[in-house]
Amino acid sequence: MKGGGYAGGSPRLAAISAVTNYEQGPPMDFIDTPAQDVFYANVFSKSVMKERLPKTVYKALVATIDSGAELDAGIADIVAAAMKDWAMEKGATHYAHVFYPLTGLTAEKHDSFLVPDGEGSAVAEFSGAQLIQGEPDGSSFPSGGIRATFEARGYTIWDVTSPAYILENSNGRTLCIPTAFVSWTGEAMDKKTPVLRSMQALNKQAQRVLKLFGHTDGAMVSSTAGPEQEYFLIDKNFYYARPDLMTAGRTLFGAPPPKGQEFDDHYFGAITERVLSFMLDAERELSKLGIPVKTRHNEVAPGQYEIAPTFESANLATDHQQLMMTVLKKVADKYGMAWISHEKPFAGVNGSGKHVNFSMGSSTQGNLLDPGDTPHDNAQFLVFCAAVIRAVYKYQGLLRAVVASAGNDHRLGANEAPPAILSVFLGDQLTDVFEQIKKGGAKKSKAAGMMTVGVDMLPPIPKHAGDRNRTSPFAFTGNRFEFRAVGSNQSIAGPLVAMNTIVAESLDYCATELEKATKGKSDGLNAAVQDLLATIMKECDSIIFNGDGYSEEWHQEAEKRGLLNLKTAADALPYLKNKEVEKLLDKYQVLSPRELESRYEVYTEQYIGTVAVEANLTVEIGATMIFPAAVRYQNELAATAANLKALGYEFDTDTLDTVTALVKSLQDSIAALKKEMEHEGNGDPDAEARHACDKILPAMLEVRKYADALEGLVADDLWPLPTYQEMLFIK
Ligand code: ADP
Ligand code: MG
């Protein structure tokens, strides 16, 4: 292992010394303030509302939150006053409209509650108008086409369905109000607005299907999401000694460690004291914010972990997911660690995903993707399940596009994460059920063992599929689907918008077909469902695949089946311009063509920009850190050779020869990369993304190849960058 000596004073060796001497701060207080006391402590929750608001106001608000009833703006002043009093009692001095621009980050505009009264003191103010609407400067946020045509004036609008909360900081507390961010023409400039719109679309179509099954209570059907977040933790001293990790979020150099993950001893292994302290602290902070987290364990790679909050409605889950990332970063910092959310921070080591568990349900119907106990329930379940299958089949391109990013490209298809090909895993039993239906079970005799939907002969559908498959990008896991292609650093908004909308379209199709076939009579429903399911399976069952998604055979098989294989973001992002996709999002009023185009532009720019930053870093680190270290070592070897020769000794110059050749190759490859970077685009984002993907990234890998080879040769005390071994194993 490198780092044995401490000569040369390189930042790397100083980092190792600092890490070794890490001392933990004072322990947290779990006894005087037990966990249940802090749970929800900083949330303006329904129970706080109930306590502090007049009954009528409370009821009106809850109606909006639970069933999407239109908000009565008249109550805003009362809610604002109660919110302000509650927040100030908890020590808040400021309020902030929190919004979610297309950068994927969270943005906030802070304002003080206190305003001067003109007589030397101040009064606390927070009106309904201030609660409902804010006006941040929109010009600094990406808005793609929308910015191009319009002035970048934007408004933030209170999202009643996502509760306000207080964010604690060492120097104060802020009341945070989740908001949508729209342009003055009402166009969505953020990630939240389309999530809300797509949830409405899903609800509308789900109600039509439920009505056919006799459920007319209208309880809002909401999509639910539970994201499992994977991440890495490394000591901050290492982090700051790695400009690539710090600026690009991933290492652009680094030879594989002598001990990798092949021993598999990290997965579910013991969690170190320091990491456990971090986890407990983070959980406590999250629980104050009303984010209940469920699991924690070591992931496959060394230094990798996972956290999963309990599922919530899609909109809330999206906000909480963003907040969770912020909290984790902050708490890790407190324990001297960098929280790394990149999809592939370390080459050759498992990457990080964010599995989005997805379902839909209502307060009266429960989870609609839960197979029922009765044949009637099962028929309904099969319709909802088939609708999802059809949706994935029809909109593979869109689903791939919403998980496309420069970071996720390094993970998808890397034999550790699902391939870039979309397919649905159902498990053998459920697949068999659908196969039987496809063969026309209703018409064939029951005696032959065929299944008829909605009659007593229907076999019970397994509640929890026994078989699990980690290689599928879209897997049914007993009562929900798990979209595993999502990257660890991505907002889950895009994937949820896509899933909500494509499922809405499928449910629309199902409802329309069933309405046509039954003509309002309920006794024709079974036969109609049977026909519908058979039709869907005939059209779409090529998307179902229960085998090994990592295997080469699947890639060939998928091609035969005509499934899309969009390997990189450069291949996938153009699907945001696909006519079918545009029609879909427009029809269900989730994104107008212009809003969609702006997203295509912003995400493509992001991709190009990310690769450009990485390329710059590669040149900089290669030329100013690695090259000098290699040359110094080369010089040492050369001097030794010359001295020994002068004294009449033999000196084997093999190492010197190798180093010399590598130094030359390093120099040449840096020059070649620079040349690719100078490439002048013609303004076409597709072409520029292609260039980044096909020319710049491979040129970066060339530089890395020589640098990593040098890492194995250059004297340890001269090597400037913390190694993989050090970063992943020293804690
Ligand atoms: P596993 O590792 O087996 O996939 P985890 O317990 O790590 O399971 O994560 C499962 C996630 O799925 C949790 O976030 C959980 O809340 C979520 N989940 C469970 N039921 C639903 C549902 N009906 N809709 C959405 N997410 C769900
Ligand atoms: Mg999972």
Side-chain angles (χ1 to χ4, degrees):
M1 186 177 99
K2 284 184 178 285
Y6 186 30
S10 87
R12 171 180 151 246
L13 299 175
I16 295 171
S17 153
V19 177
T20 321
N21 295 315
Y22 171 80
E23 264 176 50
Q24 195 151 313
M28 277 170 55
D29 152 36
F30 282 102
I31 294 163
D32 291 343
T33 318
Q36 59 271 28
D37 287 9
V38 297
F39 193 65
Y40 262 80
N42 285 347
V43 187
F44 194 68
S45 62
K46 276 189 198 156
S47 64
V48 176
M49 290 181 205
K50 193 169 184 179
E51 200 183 290
R52 291 177 175 256
L53 293 173
K55 213 173 188 164
T56 48
V57 174
Y58 171 73
K59 275 198 171 149
L61 209 52
V62 169
T64 303
I65 296 169
D66 287 349
S67 43
E70 204 171 310
L71 177 73
D72 171 8
I75 65 173
D77 275 325
I78 303 168
V79 179
M83 244 186 217
K84 180 199 72 189
D85 291 346
W86 170 79
M88 289 184 78
E89 280 166 34
K90 290 195 164 278
T93 51
H94 288 68
Y95 70 93
H97 274 199
V98 176
F99 55 104
Y100 310 90
L102 299 183
T103 52
L105 304 172
T106 309
E108 289 156 16
K109 180 175 185 272
H110 292 239
D111 286 291
S112 174
F113 283 129
L114 295 179
V115 279
D117 66 355
E119 290 169 16
S121 43
V123 287
E125 249 184 36
F126 186 52
S127 67
Q130 285 166 310
L131 168 63
I132 289 185
Q133 190 174 316
E135 195 182 330
D137 176 17
S139 59
S140 50
F141 297 103
S143 55
I146 295 170
R147 180 177 45 194
T149 348
F150 283 91
E151 238 189 286
R153 189 118 157 254
Y155 296 104
T156 51
I157 301 167
W158 178 31
D159 172 15
V160 191
T161 62
S162 187
Y165 56 92
I166 291 170
L167 210 52
E168 295 178 9
N169 193 285
S170 43
N171 288 325
R173 291 167 180 208
T174 305
L175 169 69
C176 295
I177 300 152
T179 61
F181 180 45
V182 297
S183 74
W184 68 279
T185 47
E187 282 163 308
M189 304 220 289
D190 67 346
K191 300 217 172 209
K192 178 189 271 291
T193 307
V195 171
L196 291 169
R197 290 178 185 162
S198 67
M199 287 178 74
Q200 270 180 15
L202 180 72
N203 175 42
K204 195 167 156 193
Q205 302 306 329
Q207 294 298 347
R208 287 176 60 205
V209 174
L210 285 176
K211 192 171 161 209
L212 286 153
F213 283 92
H215 306 302
T216 52
D217 58 55
M220 180 164 166
V221 172
S222 178
S223 56
T224 51
E228 301 163 52
Q229 170 82 52
E230 291 175 330
Y231 60 91
F232 280 84
L233 286 172
I234 70 159
D235 191 279
K236 262 195 308 192
N237 291 290
F238 291 140
Y239 182 74
Y240 290 127
R242 296 280 318 211
D244 45 0
L245 208 45
M246 224 172 78
T247 306
R250 74 176 178 110
T251 54
L252 300 166
F253 297 97
K259 180 185 171 186
Q261 63 193 53
E262 60 273 12
F263 297 106
D264 258 349
D265 52 1
H266 184 76
Y267 195 49
F268 287 116
I271 295 170
T272 64
E273 189 64 21
R274 181 179 181 190
V275 171
L276 189 61
S277 302
F278 150 78
M279 284 176 171
L280 291 170
D281 197 340
E283 273 181 27
R284 201 170 163 93
E285 288 306 310
L286 290 167
S287 107
K288 283 187 199 167
L289 295 164
I291 308 176
V293 285
K294 220 187 68 185
T295 55
R296 51 157 182 263
H297 50 72
N298 292 6
E299 273 301 322
V300 177
Q304 192 187 30
Y305 308 90
E306 179 185 299
I307 186 166
T310 307
F311 73 96
E312 299 176 286
S313 93
N315 177 43
L316 206 51
T318 308
D319 288 2
H320 278 169
Q321 163 62 34
Q322 289 289 119
L323 189 53
M324 191 171 87
M325 290 176 78
T326 311
V327 169
L328 291 174
K329 219 171 257 168
K330 210 163 85 180
V331 178
D333 200 63
K334 188 172 149 190
Y335 289 87
M337 295 183 290
W339 189 79
I340 298 174
S341 58
H342 195 280
E343 286 82 3
K344 195 78 179 178
F346 305 98
V349 174
N350 241 55
S352 300
K354 180 141 55 195
H355 299 173
V356 179
N357 292 269
F358 170 84
S359 188
M360 55 206 137
S362 76
S363 57
T364 54
Q365 288 304 299
N367 182 355
L368 293 167
L369 288 175
D370 207 345
D373 296 324
T374 65
H376 180 84
D377 286 348
N378 270 338
Q380 183 181 304
F381 158 75
L382 288 171
V383 170
F384 278 95
C385 189
V388 177
I389 296 167
R390 178 181 174 278
V392 178
Y393 172 76
K394 287 200 70 168
Y395 296 102
Q396 299 159 47
L398 174 61
L399 279 177
R400 175 64 186 88
V402 294
V403 298
S405 74
N408 213 15
D409 272 3
H410 300 291
R411 171 182 164 261
L412 292 181
N415 269 0
E416 43 153 293
I421 308 163
L422 257 301
S423 66
V424 175
F425 169 85
L426 282 184
D428 290 340
Q429 280 167 294
L430 195 53
T431 305
D432 188 50
V433 169
F434 277 117
E435 277 302 308
Q436 289 187 50
I437 293 170
K438 180 180 161 190
K439 285 184 200 138
K443 288 177 196 87
K444 296 246 171 84
S445 75
K446 292 179 216 162
M450 287 297 195
M451 184 180 58
T452 307
V453 173
V455 301
D456 298 338
M457 280 299 290
L458 186 77
I461 292 167
K463 274 259 182 198
H464 292 285
D467 36 358
R468 289 281 240 161
N469 180 322
R470 295 191 123 245
T471 68
S472 172
F474 209 97
F476 185 68
T477 55
N479 63 358
R480 60 187 185 268
F481 282 92
E482 187 173 333
F483 187 20
R484 302 207 182 101
V486 186
S488 53
N489 197 31
Q490 295 179 315
S491 158
I492 60 171
L496 287 172
V497 167
M499 288 191 280
N500 286 339
T501 313
I502 64 180
V503 173
E505 191 272 340
S506 263
L507 290 172
D508 182 357
Y509 165 81
C510 293
T512 305
E513 292 301 306
L514 293 176
E515 284 161 4
K516 260 195 285 186
T518 57
K519 300 192 187 71
K521 287 196 227 79
S522 65
D523 57 355
L525 185 63
N526 284 336
V529 167
Q530 160 66 37
D531 282 348
L532 171 72
L533 295 178
T535 307
I536 291 178
M537 282 306 126
K538 275 177 204 147
E539 189 195 345
C540 311
D541 72 352
S542 61
I543 197 80
I544 297 172
F545 176 64
N546 295 327
D548 179 3
Y550 297 171
S551 67
E552 184 45 43
E553 295 85 77
W554 169 233
H555 283 74
Q556 290 165 11
E557 164 75 16
E559 196 180 332
K560 259 192 248 148
R561 293 191 190 183
L563 299 178
L564 288 174
N565 184 1
L566 305 167
K567 291 201 175 83
T568 66
D571 302 301
L573 285 171
Y575 267 79
L576 294 177
K577 294 187 298 183
N578 177 285
K579 280 288 155 222
E580 291 290 307
V581 168
E582 186 185 298
K583 241 171 49 198
L584 167 87
L585 291 162
D586 194 28
K587 178 171 176 193
Y588 294 96
Q589 297 178 359
V590 173
L591 288 169
S592 71
R594 235 176 45 142
E595 288 172 327
L596 180 63
E597 192 192 340
S598 74
R599 276 150 186 83
Y600 158 75
E601 277 179 29
V602 170
Y603 299 150
T604 306
E605 269 173 36
Q606 265 165 17
Y607 175 79
I608 298 164
T610 304
V611 176
V613 167
E614 291 181 348
N616 279 326
L617 277 164
T618 303
V619 169
E620 191 185 296
I621 296 171
T624 68
M625 294 176 86
I626 295 170
F627 179 74
V631 170
R632 275 179 205 142
Y633 186 53
Q634 186 185 29
N635 192 40
E636 248 178 53
L637 289 172
T640 307
N643 290 344
L644 287 172
K645 204 171 167 202
L647 294 171
Y649 286 103
E650 286 281 321
F651 181 71
D652 187 342
T653 59
D654 274 6
T655 306
L656 178 58
D657 296 343
T658 312
V659 169
T660 303
L662 285 171
V663 165
K664 161 105 180 86
S665 300
L666 180 70
Q667 236 174 340
D668 291 349
S669 60
I670 291 173
L673 171 58
K674 274 182 164 162
K675 205 159 158 233
E676 290 300 350
M677 290 159 66
E678 279 158 15
H679 166 91
E680 281 287 333
N682 59 359
D684 170 17
D686 275 356
E688 269 184 70
R690 274 258 74 89
H691 180 77
C693 180
D694 299 338
K695 302 287 179 196
I696 297 183
L697 285 170
M700 282 163 55
L701 278 181
E702 258 317 271
V703 178
R704 178 177 190 150
K705 187 170 86 189
Y706 303 119
D708 289 359
L710 282 164
E711 186 183 324
L713 292 168
V714 171
D716 181 68
D717 61 330
L718 293 174
W719 196 253
L721 296 169
T723 65
Y724 271 29
Q725 171 84 352
E726 288 155 0
M727 288 187 286
L728 293 170
F729 291 98
I730 303 183
K731 283 194 197 91

